[in-house]
Amino acid sequence: MTEKDNLHNLRHSLAHLLAAAVLDIYPKALPTIGPSIDNGFYYDFDNLEVSDKDLQKIEQKMREILKSWKEFSYKEVSANDAKKVYENNPYKIELIDEIVSKKEKITLYTCGSFTDLCRGGHLENPAKEIESGSFKLDRVAGAYWRGNEKNKMLTRIYGLAFGTKDELNAYILQKEEAEKRDHKKLGRELDLFIIDSKVGKGLPLWTPKGTAIKFALENFARELERKYDYEHVETPYLGAEELYRTSGHLDHYAHNMYAPIDMDGEKFYLRPMACPHHIRMYQRRPWSYKELPVRYAEIADYNRYEKSGELMGMIRVRKFQLTDGHLFVAPEGLKEEFKLVCNMIVEGMKGLGLIDVVSYRFSKRDPKNKEKYYPDDKLWNHAEGLMKEALDELGLPYVEVEDEAAFYGPKLDVQAKNVNGKEDTLFTAQIDFLLPEKFEIEYVDRDGKKKRPVMIHRSTIGSLERVCGFLIEHYAGAFPLWLSPVQIKVIPIRENHNAFAKEVADALKGENIRVKLDDSDEGLGKKVRAAKVDKIPYWLVIGDKEIAEGKVTLESRDKGALGLFDIESLKQLLKKEIEERI
Amino acid sequence: MTEKDNLHNLRHSLAHLLAAAVLDIYPKALPTIGPSIDNGFYYDFDNLEVSDKDLQKIEQKMREILKSWKEFSYKEVSANDAKKVYENNPYKIELIDEIVSKKEKITLYTCGSFTDLCRGGHLENPAKEIESGSFKLDRVAGAYWRGNEKNKMLTRIYGLAFGTKDELNAYILQKEEAEKRDHKKLGRELDLFIIDSKVGKGLPLWTPKGTAIKFALENFARELERKYDYEHVETPYLGAEELYRTSGHLDHYAHNMYAPIDMDGEKFYLRPMACPHHIRMYQRRPWSYKELPVRYAEIADYNRYEKSGELMGMIRVRKFQLTDGHLFVAPEGLKEEFKLVCNMIVEGMKGLGLIDVVSYRFSKRDPKNKEKYYPDDKLWNHAEGLMKEALDELGLPYVEVEDEAAFYGPKLDVQAKNVNGKEDTLFTAQIDFLLPEKFEIEYVDRDGKKKRPVMIHRSTIGSLERVCGFLIEHYAGAFPLWLSPVQIKVIPIRENHNAFAKEVADALKGENIRVKLDDSDEGLGKKVRAAKVDKIPYWLVIGDKEIAEGKVTLESRDKGALGLFDIESLKQLLKKEIEERI
């Protein structure tokens, strides 16, 4: 038996134990189903009213019963006999009918004095095999019978369970850390963004502090784009029907799009992607091979249909801004250009401090999956071969994955591991031979003939919403100086220090440093604590001594007390750290 | 008779003369109607095929006939007699029936050998009173009979006419100048923006050069906003139904809004204004009187319903970005805050170089117009009184206009005169007591009680689209350095000068100067001409002499040859001019 099976059996046994304990305390509760899950187990009950504060009592009862659970036994029974056992439990009756309809055997498993309708999969001797500290009841939640919202809402009790007590504790610790870093929680506490029911679900609003981060990210992306010779454009978030008819989005991607808006008899769509707009930008004039590659970058508005239930903070939203870009490349320049794109991505991830948590996934088609991919074997082989060469020549560490490509070509996915250890795609770079065909994009080659360029779709640092959510969790809200909404707080000790403090604050503001003067009536201790709670990277304390010397006392969130600084050295220190993004 | 009546009679007489000349040359043409208009006259004909190149011939015939037009005579006729005259002209028959149905007299006017069905209003002696050079046929166009697109398309000939030849020439000169400055024409020629039929009408795309201007305007607005202590926020261009229900936009403003989009059973609107978003931003937490005024600024996406036929370049669009802002002010601070808003607007207009073409309009309600305005005399008197005091204290020159206020309060309109001499509203500042009521906005006052703040809605420099269109025309595309898409062009004379030229270009690029290196194979003359055509403010010429001295020869679009500069002085000169926005 594998370790995984064993863990499943342990968790499943604990689900039985939970049901036994609940029925012992609440005899009128109706047990329904109780499977093992990723981090433990749950059991759903009807006719049970409990809250989180009852969990300790139930858990205690579980530990008590566990001592006597030395063996699981089972017997096969007829449908009639089984229904007799559960004559007052319509849920189990429904399950029995289902088993009968599938022509499977009906089995009842018993341990101690508790019997449950079950397919099996338990530990042989729970009392011996379950370490007493290795499980813990977690929380109470509501859940519809069979997950269908038309059915009755049942009471679900979740438990955590691992092989050992140490494993459980490690898991709890990691979960607590993840919760502390949760971008929705920190976003609220640090006042970075709000999601407002009146404005609408899935539509975050960036507060002044959040907007400071957004602007810093925008500047970072645009600086990088300028360095790599992109031209910035700005295009509208709406597009006429013909545009998305030509691109094929309305044929292949309509399920991710919102319904159109009528404007004087023409249909307009909130755009799901900006490629068609950049293509039309390219097509505004003829191009010579000498001018290629043409590289357009835009912080582009995107709109994607997401179900209400799947929205999540800044990570899954209905409208976002992608640091987007499209390149029009002569076929012979494609590999070198793709390498430049990769270099730029690596430089971006370094700049954001994420280089150690991102990995690269080379997503290819599955040649057998004919429906999912644009049917042209030669093009696919060429594009995949070329992308692989580029990645190998750069020495970029990557994994190859089949059947994850886009419809029109292979992708490089920039994967990031979040605080829960879960890997998510931050953004991608893709090679595309198809849209140039559909839009009949051209350039004039050396021989005077019209040729078709290849497109690369790529992002610089992903969507501002997603990368900001990710950065909040990555830094647990303690951003590096260049990203911090407030970079330094100026704290006068008493009222008579306010004037000099304001002078210092104004001097820093003049250097475009985001400074906040705390001239409130609070005491020094409280002011410093507030700076720490807000995770501000630096604060200055100004009192009699500082005024006498014309200097300030600098403290750092990360490095502690730094001593006295004159204003000029302070400016230099901050400006250097901001410019170098360290 | 006023001068205006006289001009009308002159133009109307010329319309007759035009018809007479056309019928002389094209006897089968059917005359319909021919009124005087703003700058001349026109006449519509059926059964006439002419183009602009026929106009000279017709004009010549007019001048020929004019000599014999010494008197207009008229006679009253019966409907039957009139219909006999026009038995082959269904248009005139229709007009006769209309006159009959209105019980008016039917009159026929004759001059020379030409008679027309007409109400009168001519010169007594055209031959004497019309200066031969004071009129000119302008162009041929199609026009539906009676302006109804269900009717037949007729041929319309337009003529220009003024009291004297000098007046006509002045008008033509001004029109040519306006056409040269037309932002749609210059936008295309200088490659600043495009409107693409596939992307959709009313949705301009900013090209790389246009985007450079847009970014410069954005930076200018944000710098100004920071100086006046605004906080920047970013909010979505969508809003749920409840938001615009609460704000009253759906009750009062729905005709300017697009149809809603359904998202999982909820209705979302493309926002026509951002005030509700900024209000919800304010309402995310409680506020103390000490923290007021709260000032939010955003380059906010707006969507306004415009009919296809009314769209115009960058001036009238379906989606635009307003340099928007909303202030939440304690009532006792309102006047001072409004003065700050005015100061900021004046500073903005100075920065854009528009201070001499803008004027200020204080738009009040008409107290008799009860339906158009929020009904609260006391509030209106207070707000208007306070706004007037603020304007007077500032000494801002303004005109007062009744019945031009917003529904909820008085406005200051920033009016700008365009190249056609027509005045248009660039943007506004408004005082609003109503939305704070509707959203129940609050702050905690000195006495611990909850009070209602007043709102000011205002823009910094208007919509980026409109102000850019306006600036293109104002500067005729020859932008000041800070706004120029390409700020300086580096021109090596021959290929062996390219390397040093690139070095210079890179050095300037390193200072964030928008530089273009022209290392094409063209000769010096052609390269310089291209820089002039593109209206680039500066160009550098680099040849043997420059390389020998390690210097560059600088020329200015506006100031001519400026001589030799070393790179460091050149940098300083450009950076100073950019920073000072001169």
Side-chain angles (χ1 to χ4, degrees):
Chain A
M1 192 158 59
T2 67
E3 201 182 324
K4 199 175 150 193
D5 288 342
N6 196 47
L7 203 53
H8 162 77
N9 289 350
L10 178 139
R11 287 168 173 164
H12 186 197
S13 304
L14 280 163
H16 280 251
L17 186 62
L18 167 59
V22 165
L23 290 176
D24 197 89
I25 305 173
Y26 308 95
K28 288 185 182 162
L30 291 179
T32 67
I33 55 165
S36 79
I37 52 173
D38 246 10
N39 60 2
F41 57 93
Y42 70 76
Y43 211 114
D44 288 349
F45 301 89
D46 191 12
N47 209 23
L48 174 66
E49 274 183 45
V50 292
S51 69
D52 286 349
K53 65 182 192 306
D54 300 308
L55 293 181
Q56 211 188 338
K57 179 174 60 185
I58 300 170
E59 199 179 298
Q60 208 175 330
K61 178 62 71 182
M62 285 171 75
R63 296 192 201 289
E64 208 180 297
I65 297 174
L66 177 59
K67 292 176 195 149
S68 65
W69 276 30
K70 300 200 167 149
E71 192 185 6
F72 264 95
S73 65
Y74 81 101
K75 61 174 175 182
E76 210 181 307
V77 293
S78 70
N80 274 346
D81 285 352
K83 284 187 180 179
K84 253 179 242 158
V85 175
Y86 291 108
E87 58 185 351
N88 296 318
N89 188 328
Y91 304 97
K92 295 287 191 189
I93 302 280
E94 188 178 325
L95 293 172
I96 292 163
D97 285 340
E98 215 173 82
I99 300 170
V100 170
S101 75
K102 286 189 200 160
K103 301 202 166 100
E104 291 173 359
K105 287 176 188 168
I106 301 170
T107 46
L108 295 174
Y109 278 79
T110 301
C111 199
S113 60
F114 177 73
T115 297
D116 206 352
L117 176 75
C118 180
R119 264 196 209 90
H122 309 102
L123 298 175
E124 285 181 15
N125 183 341
K128 198 177 135 199
E129 293 174 67
I130 298 179
E131 198 177 310
S132 173
S134 70
F135 69 92
K136 187 179 184 309
L137 292 186
D138 188 29
R139 63 197 167 93
V140 175
Y144 295 107
W145 168 239
R146 320 226 73 175
N148 185 335
E149 59 191 33
K150 286 178 188 151
N151 291 339
K152 194 171 175 192
M153 173 79 84
L154 306 175
T155 300
R156 174 173 297 178
I157 298 175
Y158 281 101
L160 304 171
F162 288 84
T164 65
K165 187 179 170 178
D166 286 351
E167 281 167 34
L168 174 66
N169 287 341
Y171 174 82
I172 290 171
L173 213 67
Q174 195 240 327
K175 207 177 132 200
E176 281 171 0
E177 184 62 25
E179 273 166 16
K180 256 192 282 177
R181 288 168 177 258
D182 180 85
H183 80 280
K184 299 186 295 298
K185 182 171 164 284
L186 282 176
R188 209 167 36 242
E189 286 172 7
L190 299 175
D191 193 24
L192 302 177
F193 67 92
I194 57 166
I195 293 175
D196 178 74
S197 61
K198 277 200 172 195
V199 169
K201 289 177 197 149
L203 299 173
L205 286 77
W206 301 78
T207 61
K209 284 188 185 165
T211 303
I213 299 178
K214 183 174 188 274
F215 284 0
L217 291 171
E218 288 182 4
N219 289 339
F220 174 66
R222 286 184 177 152
E223 203 177 285
L224 201 54
E225 286 152 3
R226 266 192 294 271
K227 181 175 166 187
Y228 281 84
D229 281 326
Y230 283 72
E231 293 187 293
H232 287 111
V233 296
E234 297 259 315
T235 63
Y237 45 74
L238 291 162
E241 183 177 12
E242 197 197 336
L243 194 70
Y244 288 105
R245 196 61 73 198
T246 307
S247 70
H249 283 95
L250 281 173
D251 294 329
H252 296 290
Y253 202 73
H255 56 285
N256 284 107
M257 293 169 67
Y258 292 106
I261 298 164
D262 179 278
M263 298 192 185
D264 276 11
E266 277 187 274
K267 279 186 195 167
F268 285 79
Y269 287 86
L270 281 174
R271 73 173 171 197
M273 293 186 192
C275 10
H277 289 78
H278 287 190
I279 290 172
R280 295 302 293 157
M281 179 68 80
Y282 176 91
Q283 292 187 303
R284 79 187 184 284
R285 70 170 185 87
W287 296 92
S288 147
Y289 71 98
K290 287 188 222 163
E291 298 172 289
L292 263 47
V294 169
R295 306 179 185 96
Y296 292 141
E298 177 177 9
I299 295 177
D301 292 300
Y302 273 46
N303 309 275
R304 296 275 175 85
Y305 172 69
E306 298 281 355
K307 281 188 198 162
S308 316
E310 285 173 6
L311 297 168
M312 210 261 283
M314 296 281 255
I315 305 292
R316 243 172 207 270
V317 291
R318 284 172 159 166
K319 176 230 163 256
F320 57 89
Q321 288 192 292
L322 187 69
T323 53
D324 200 11
H326 295 90
L327 297 92
F328 302 87
V329 189
E332 63 273 18
L334 185 57
K335 191 171 85 182
E336 283 314 307
E337 192 59 34
F338 192 77
K339 283 163 78 172
L340 282 175
V341 165
C342 293
N343 283 338
M344 184 179 179
I345 288 172
V346 169
E347 196 170 337
M349 291 301 99
K350 272 188 194 150
L352 295 180
L354 296 180
I355 197 74
D356 295 332
V357 291
V358 298
S359 59
Y360 305 96
R361 190 174 78 175
F362 173 27
S363 291
K364 308 194 294 181
R365 73 169 173 163
D366 174 1
K368 279 168 268 150
N369 194 338
K370 297 288 179 198
E371 285 203 357
K372 196 173 162 189
Y373 303 106
Y374 179 58
D376 186 330
D377 285 346
K378 208 180 128 199
L379 271 188
W380 273 98
N381 293 338
H382 175 61
E384 289 185 356
L386 182 145
M387 211 187 243
K388 192 172 161 53
E389 271 177 43
L391 294 171
D392 288 338
E393 284 172 24
L394 287 174
L396 212 62
Y398 64 91
V399 293
E400 275 182 57
V401 187
E402 263 201 1
D403 206 21
E404 286 286 345
F407 174 70
Y408 48 75
K411 294 189 297 171
L412 179 72
D413 298 320
V414 179
Q415 304 288 104
K417 213 173 252 181
N418 72 14
V419 285
N420 286 310
K422 206 182 144 258
E423 202 177 276
D424 218 342
T425 301
L426 256 190
F427 60 93
T428 67
Q430 314 179 5
I431 290 179
D432 176 9
F433 296 92
L434 185 57
L435 278 180
E437 281 297 325
K438 293 200 168 196
F439 278 91
E440 302 182 354
I441 309 178
E442 289 172 341
Y443 68 97
V444 177
D445 206 356
R446 201 177 297 266
D447 58 10
K449 285 189 185 142
K450 285 182 177 167
K451 302 261 170 80
R452 191 131 293 163
V454 188
M455 276 180 78
I456 301 176
H457 308 238
R458 44 101 272 163
S459 174
T460 310
I461 55 168
S463 100
L464 294 175
E465 283 77 3
R466 179 170 286 194
V467 77
C468 179
F470 192 86
L471 287 168
I472 293 171
E473 301 194 347
H474 179 73
Y475 288 113
F479 297 103
L481 187 64
W482 72 278
L483 275 175
S484 288
V486 177
Q487 294 175 316
I488 188 163
K489 200 164 175 174
V490 180
I491 303 178
I493 297 177
R494 274 182 306 279
E495 214 189 317
N496 59 322
H497 308 129
N498 283 356
F500 182 60
K502 185 164 185 324
E503 222 174 275
V504 173
D506 286 344
L508 296 174
K509 198 182 158 190
E511 302 286 333
N512 283 323
I513 291 165
R514 295 186 291 271
V515 58
K516 192 176 150 84
L517 172 65
D518 185 353
D519 56 3
S520 65
D521 302 335
E522 304 292 349
L524 177 63
K526 208 159 175 185
K527 288 181 180 181
V528 169
R529 265 195 305 283
K532 287 180 179 169
V533 165
D534 284 345
K535 310 199 181 197
I536 297 173
Y538 288 104
W539 55 94
L540 295 177
V541 176
I542 290 174
D544 290 339
K545 185 181 76 176
E546 284 79 6
I547 292 178
E549 296 196 33
K551 292 188 174 178
V552 294
T553 296
L554 181 64
E555 282 193 63
S556 153
R557 175 192 67 200
D558 306 321
K559 290 164 278 182
L562 296 173
L564 276 176
F565 278 75
D566 61 58
I567 310 300
E568 198 47 42
S569 328
L570 174 69
K571 277 186 194 171
Q572 294 317 317
L573 176 136
L574 296 176
K575 281 172 72 175
K576 184 164 182 290
E577 193 172 327
I578 291 167
E579 262 164 41
E580 293 177 0
R581 298 199 171 93
I582 43 177
Chain B
M1 193 159 59
T2 67
E3 202 182 323
K4 199 175 148 192
D5 287 341
N6 196 48
L7 203 53
H8 162 76
N9 290 349
L10 178 139
R11 287 165 175 165
H12 186 197
S13 304
L14 282 164
H16 281 251
L17 187 62
L18 167 59
V22 165
L23 290 176
D24 199 272
I25 306 173
Y26 309 94
K28 288 186 184 164
L30 291 180
T32 67
I33 54 164
S36 79
I37 52 172
D38 246 11
N39 59 2
F41 57 93
Y42 69 77
Y43 210 114
D44 288 350
F45 302 89
D46 192 12
N47 209 24
L48 175 66
E49 272 185 45
V50 293
S51 69
D52 285 349
K53 65 182 192 307
D54 301 308
L55 293 183
Q56 211 187 340
K57 179 173 59 185
I58 300 169
E59 201 180 296
Q60 209 175 332
K61 179 62 73 182
M62 284 171 75
R63 295 190 203 286
E64 209 180 295
I65 297 173
L66 177 59
K67 292 175 197 150
S68 64
W69 276 30
K70 299 199 168 149
E71 189 184 11
F72 263 96
S73 64
Y74 82 99
K75 61 174 176 183
E76 209 179 307
V77 292
S78 70
N80 275 346
D81 286 350
K83 284 187 181 179
K84 253 177 242 161
V85 175
Y86 291 108
E87 59 186 351
N88 296 318
N89 187 328
Y91 303 98
K92 294 288 191 188
I93 302 279
E94 190 179 324
L95 292 172
I96 292 164
D97 285 339
E98 217 174 80
I99 299 170
V100 170
S101 76
K102 287 191 200 159
K103 303 203 163 93
E104 291 173 358
K105 288 177 186 166
I106 302 170
T107 46
L108 295 175
Y109 278 79
T110 301
C111 200
S113 60
F114 177 73
T115 297
D116 206 351
L117 177 76
C118 180
R119 262 195 211 93
H122 309 101
L123 298 176
E124 286 181 14
N125 182 340
K128 197 178 137 198
E129 292 174 67
I130 299 179
E131 200 178 310
S132 174
S134 70
F135 70 92
K136 185 180 186 307
L137 292 187
D138 188 31
R139 63 196 167 93
V140 176
Y144 295 108
W145 168 238
R146 320 227 71 176
N148 185 337
E149 61 192 31
K150 286 177 188 150
N151 291 339
K152 193 169 177 194
M153 173 79 85
L154 307 174
T155 300
R156 173 173 297 178
I157 298 176
Y158 281 102
L160 303 172
F162 288 83
T164 65
K165 187 178 170 179
D166 286 351
E167 278 167 36
L168 174 67
N169 287 341
Y171 174 82
I172 291 171
L173 213 68
Q174 196 242 327
K175 207 177 134 199
E176 280 171 2
E177 184 60 26
E179 272 166 17
K180 256 191 281 175
R181 289 169 176 258
D182 180 85
H183 80 280
K184 299 185 296 297
K185 181 174 165 283
L186 282 176
R188 207 167 39 241
E189 285 173 8
L190 299 175
D191 194 23
L192 302 178
F193 67 92
I194 56 166
I195 292 175
D196 179 73
S197 61
K198 277 199 173 195
V199 169
K201 288 177 197 147
L203 299 172
L205 287 76
W206 302 78
T207 61
K209 283 187 185 166
T211 303
I213 298 178
K214 183 174 189 275
F215 285 180
L217 291 172
E218 287 182 3
N219 290 340
F220 174 66
R222 286 184 177 151
E223 204 177 283
L224 202 53
E225 286 152 3
R226 266 191 294 273
K227 181 174 166 188
Y228 281 84
D229 282 326
Y230 283 71
E231 295 187 292
H232 287 110
V233 297
E234 297 258 315
T235 62
Y237 45 73
L238 291 163
E241 184 178 11
E242 197 198 336
L243 194 68
Y244 288 105
R245 197 60 74 196
T246 306
S247 70
H249 283 94
L250 281 173
D251 294 329
H252 296 290
Y253 202 74
H255 55 286
N256 283 108
M257 294 170 67
Y258 292 106
I261 298 163
D262 178 279
M263 299 191 183
D264 277 11
E266 277 187 273
K267 280 186 194 165
F268 285 79
Y269 287 86
L270 280 174
R271 73 172 170 198
M273 293 186 193
C275 9
H277 289 78
H278 288 190
I279 290 171
R280 295 302 293 157
M281 179 68 79
Y282 176 91
Q283 291 187 304
R284 79 188 184 283
R285 70 170 184 88
W287 295 91
S288 148
Y289 70 98
K290 286 188 223 163
E291 297 173 290
L292 263 46
V294 170
R295 306 179 186 94
Y296 291 141
E298 176 176 11
I299 295 177
D301 291 300
Y302 274 45
N303 310 274
R304 297 274 175 86
Y305 172 71
E306 299 281 355
K307 282 188 198 162
S308 316
E310 286 174 6
L311 298 168
M312 209 261 281
M314 297 281 256
I315 305 292
R316 244 171 206 270
V317 292
R318 283 171 161 167
K319 177 229 163 259
F320 57 90
Q321 288 192 294
L322 186 69
T323 53
D324 201 11
H326 295 90
L327 298 93
F328 302 87
V329 189
E332 62 273 18
L334 186 55
K335 190 171 84 182
E336 284 313 307
E337 192 59 34
F338 193 76
K339 283 163 77 174
L340 282 175
V341 165
C342 292
N343 283 338
M344 184 179 179
I345 287 173
V346 169
E347 196 171 337
M349 291 303 98
K350 272 188 194 151
L352 295 180
L354 296 180
I355 196 74
D356 295 333
V357 292
V358 297
S359 58
Y360 305 96
R361 190 174 76 176
F362 172 28
S363 291
K364 308 193 293 181
R365 73 167 173 164
D366 174 359
K368 280 169 266 150
N369 195 337
K370 297 290 179 198
E371 284 204 357
K372 196 171 161 189
Y373 303 106
Y374 180 58
D376 186 330
D377 286 345
K378 210 181 128 198
L379 271 187
W380 274 98
N381 292 338
H382 176 62
E384 291 185 353
L386 183 145
M387 209 185 242
K388 189 170 164 54
E389 271 177 44
L391 294 171
D392 289 337
E393 283 172 24
L394 287 173
L396 213 62
Y398 64 92
V399 292
E400 274 181 57
V401 187
E402 264 201 0
D403 208 20
E404 286 285 345
F407 175 68
Y408 49 74
K411 296 189 295 171
L412 179 72
D413 298 320
V414 179
Q415 303 290 104
K417 213 172 253 182
N418 72 15
V419 285
N420 286 311
K422 205 180 144 257
E423 202 178 275
D424 219 343
T425 300
L426 258 189
F427 60 94
T428 66
Q430 315 179 2
I431 290 179
D432 177 7
F433 296 92
L434 185 57
L435 278 180
E437 280 298 325
K438 292 199 168 194
F439 278 91
E440 301 182 355
I441 310 177
E442 287 172 343
Y443 69 97
V444 178
D445 205 357
R446 203 176 295 265
D447 58 7
K449 286 191 183 137
K450 285 181 179 169
K451 301 262 171 82
R452 192 132 292 163
V454 188
M455 276 181 78
I456 301 175
H457 308 239
R458 43 101 276 162
S459 174
T460 310
I461 54 168
S463 101
L464 295 175
E465 284 78 3
R466 178 170 287 194
V467 77
C468 180
F470 193 86
L471 288 168
I472 292 172
E473 301 194 346
H474 179 73
Y475 288 113
F479 297 102
L481 187 64
W482 71 278
L483 275 175
S484 288
V486 176
Q487 295 175 314
I488 187 163
K489 200 162 175 176
V490 179
I491 303 179
I493 297 177
R494 275 182 304 279
E495 213 189 318
N496 58 324
H497 308 129
N498 283 356
F500 182 59
K502 186 168 185 319
E503 222 174 90
V504 173
D506 286 345
L508 296 175
K509 198 183 159 190
E511 302 287 333
N512 283 322
I513 291 165
R514 295 186 291 269
V515 58
K516 192 175 151 82
L517 172 65
D518 185 353
D519 56 2
S520 65
D521 302 335
E522 304 294 350
L524 177 62
K526 208 160 176 184
K527 286 181 181 182
V528 169
R529 264 194 306 284
K532 286 180 180 170
V533 165
D534 285 344
K535 311 200 180 195
I536 296 174
Y538 289 104
W539 56 94
L540 295 177
V541 176
I542 291 173
D544 290 338
K545 183 182 75 177
E546 284 79 8
I547 293 178
E549 297 195 33
K551 292 188 174 177
V552 294
T553 296
L554 181 64
E555 282 193 64
S556 153
R557 176 191 67 199
D558 306 320
K559 289 165 280 184
L562 296 174
L564 276 176
F565 278 75
D566 61 58
I567 310 300
E568 198 47 42
S569 328
L570 174 69
K571 277 185 195 173
Q572 293 317 317
L573 176 136
L574 296 175
K575 281 172 72 175
K576 184 163 180 290
E577 192 172 328
I578 291 167
E579 262 165 43
E580 295 178 0
R581 298 197 172 94
I582 45 177

